Amino acid sequence: SLIANYKNGNREIISNGYNGFIIKHNDIKGFKYKILDIISNHNRYLKIYENSYSTYLSKLSFPVWKEKMDVVILDKFDCNHVKRKESISKPSYIKNILIYKGLCQYDSIHRFIFEYLKSGLSIFFLYINRNK
């Protein structure tokens, strides 16, 4: 994982050099060179790949997220939110889950087309042309 050094949730998950890399947010060359180095020196990053996947499984996978959401929705901690649980009907809950799945899918497609693909193509062409 490559992230910018903004103070957001990414910094809670990524440890620089352990399961990803934190690069100064406006250092475009830093991002470019790190990506090219990862592509060119794949074997150097094997442990980071493993650590990244372990982090995903332990902090970001669906079962982990679901367990944390169940705590909130099903009131498994000591708060007086019984009325909240009673107010959530199963059809309403399912409807909202479907809406959010659609929004997540839209967001993923949007990010792919307007962010990842756009930056990925320029990096791909840099990689192809680097030996010329």
Side-chain angles (χ1 to χ4, degrees):
S1 295
L2 289 175
I3 63 166
N5 66 341
Y6 290 112
K7 293 181 179 175
N8 60 25
N10 292 333
R11 297 286 303 273
E12 296 173 8
I13 296 169
I14 302 301
S15 297
N16 194 36
Y18 173 74
N19 61 353
F21 297 97
I22 301 170
I23 298 174
K24 191 174 178 183
H25 75 276
N26 59 356
D27 185 5
I28 303 302
K29 286 183 181 180
F31 274 97
K32 179 181 87 172
Y33 291 122
K34 182 54 79 176
I35 291 169
L36 289 173
D37 191 49
I38 290 169
I39 292 169
S40 300
N41 301 295
H42 167 72
N43 289 333
R44 221 188 285 168
Y45 296 93
L46 294 177
K47 189 64 179 167
I48 291 172
Y49 301 152
E50 290 175 24
N51 294 339
S52 178
Y53 186 65
S54 290
T55 300
Y56 162 74
L57 290 176
S58 66
K59 294 184 177 183
L60 302 171
S61 63
F62 182 77
V64 173
W65 174 83
K66 182 183 179 308
E67 183 179 325
K68 290 180 181 187
M69 291 307 293
D70 283 348
V71 167
V72 174
I73 292 171
L74 301 175
D75 194 30
K76 292 183 179 175
F77 56 94
D78 192 23
C79 289
N80 293 319
H81 291 283
V82 174
K83 292 195 184 284
R84 177 189 62 219
K85 191 166 73 172
E86 291 170 357
S87 69
I88 300 174
S89 69
K90 191 169 184 175
S92 172
Y93 177 76
I94 290 171
K95 177 184 171 192
N96 282 308
I97 290 296
L98 293 174
I99 289 169
Y100 287 115
K101 279 184 180 179
L103 289 173
C104 288
Q105 189 174 21
Y106 168 80
D107 184 52
S108 295
I109 292 167
H110 179 83
R111 277 187 287 138
F112 176 76
I113 292 171
F114 293 101
E115 295 175 25
Y116 305 146
L117 189 60
K118 185 177 172 183
S119 61
L121 285 174
S122 62
I123 290 169
F124 175 72
F125 289 119
L126 281 171
Y127 176 71
I128 289 174
N129 297 319
R130 72 177 192 205
N131 295 325
K132 290 182 180 181

